[in-house]
Amino acid sequence: DKTSISVIDKGYAIPHIANKVAAGHLNEDLTGWLVHIGSLDRERVSRELLRAIIHVRQNQPKTFRGLLLVGVVCPEFKSMVKSMGAEPHVRFYGNVSQEEASSIAVSSPALLVIEANMPMSPFLPSKFADYACTQRPMIAITPIISPIRDYLTKYGGGVPVCHDADEIGAALLKIFGDNTNQATICHSAGLCGEFTSQNVGGRYLNMLEGVLDKKNQPTAK
């Protein structure tokens, strides 16, 4: 805005290619867990998430077990879990191989992606692309303005929420409530298709062709 340069006119936005995932089935050991896969750093720690986890767990003990974290978790979040008395509702799974992480993802009832609490986000995490192709419902804690929210609004497949306990709790109930119908928020083929190698590769080809066309255009005198 300060330079009056249109980045959109000068550049290309191309998403990640999702990691291939094998066909999966729900794992009974994961039943009732909201699963986060990957590193959870201090910038994305959310007290509101834990408040929602505790509240829904207390009100839906038969269908919701809590939050399962696969991967490295920062000390700040672990301390927050302890200080809020959320230890019975949060499970730290630890590091696993990429193959095992993929297997857990496709076998999970629902997946969680968290962005930092900020007014807007310019990011599209590779994790989102991987999640999109698991066909599992997703809860995305993301700013009001963000690519993640845009994708979920356009294609469905998940519930975008802010860092707000009430919003997060309502999203949890959509997936883990007594009378929920997960089919209403399962990922569509359209969302997964955005991150296939064919689609992303096609975008790279279009970009290269566009750059070459501009380069070969005669310079105005």
Side-chain angles (χ1 to χ4, degrees):
D1 289 342
K2 292 181 182 296
T3 61
S4 298
I5 296 174
S6 174
V7 177
I8 293 177
D9 292 339
K10 290 178 65 65
Y12 297 83
I14 301 175
H16 298 278
I17 295 175
N19 287 322
K20 291 184 178 180
V21 294
H25 60 278
L26 289 180
N27 185 331
E28 291 187 2
D29 292 337
L30 299 173
T31 300
W33 290 100
L34 174 65
V35 179
H36 179 275
I37 297 176
S39 298
L40 181 60
D41 52 45
R42 62 183 181 180
E43 288 79 14
R44 294 182 293 120
V45 166
S46 175
R47 183 177 295 274
E48 294 297 293
L49 169 63
L50 288 178
R51 287 182 57 201
I53 294 290
I54 294 170
H55 178 75
V56 176
R57 169 63 177 155
Q58 290 172 343
N59 287 275
Q60 298 285 336
K62 293 183 179 179
T63 57
F64 181 61
R65 297 169 70 184
L67 175 64
L68 174 64
L69 297 156
V70 181
V72 177
V73 179
C74 67
E76 290 83 355
F77 189 77
K78 291 183 176 180
S79 297
M80 186 179 291
V81 169
K82 186 174 182 179
S83 67
M84 293 180 66
E87 291 164 300
H89 319 310
V90 179
R91 179 181 170 191
F92 299 99
Y93 198 90
N95 281 330
V96 299
S97 66
Q98 182 175 334
E99 291 75 16
E100 186 174 356
S102 178
S103 176
I104 292 172
V106 297
S107 304
S108 299
L111 297 166
L112 173 68
V113 59
I114 311 174
E115 292 200 281
N117 190 5
M118 48 191 170
M120 61 85 65
S121 169
F123 306 114
L124 186 65
S126 58
K127 178 186 303 180
F128 180 78
D130 294 339
Y131 280 4
C133 292
T134 64
Q135 302 297 311
R136 306 311 310 147
M138 186 189 312
I139 293 177
I141 303 177
T142 184
I144 290 292
I145 302 173
S146 73
I148 285 180
R149 190 176 289 267
D150 290 343
Y151 272 105
L152 293 179
T153 300
K154 182 175 182 179
Y155 295 104
V159 186
V161 296
C162 294
H163 282 264
D164 177 87
D166 291 336
E167 283 193 29
I168 299 169
L172 286 169
L173 289 175
K174 283 185 179 180
I175 298 174
F176 295 101
D178 289 328
N179 300 314
T180 190
N181 180 7
Q182 284 196 1
T184 62
I185 55 174
C186 280
H187 288 294
S188 67
L191 181 62
C192 179
E194 286 293 298
F195 307 106
T196 62
S197 58
Q198 293 87 349
N199 182 66
V200 177
R203 292 196 184 194
Y204 275 104
L205 287 174
N206 291 337
M207 176 192 70
L208 293 171
E209 290 172 355
V211 170
L212 291 173
D213 286 344
K214 290 180 180 179
K215 184 177 180 181
N216 293 330
Q217 288 176 0
T219 304
K221 295 182 180 180

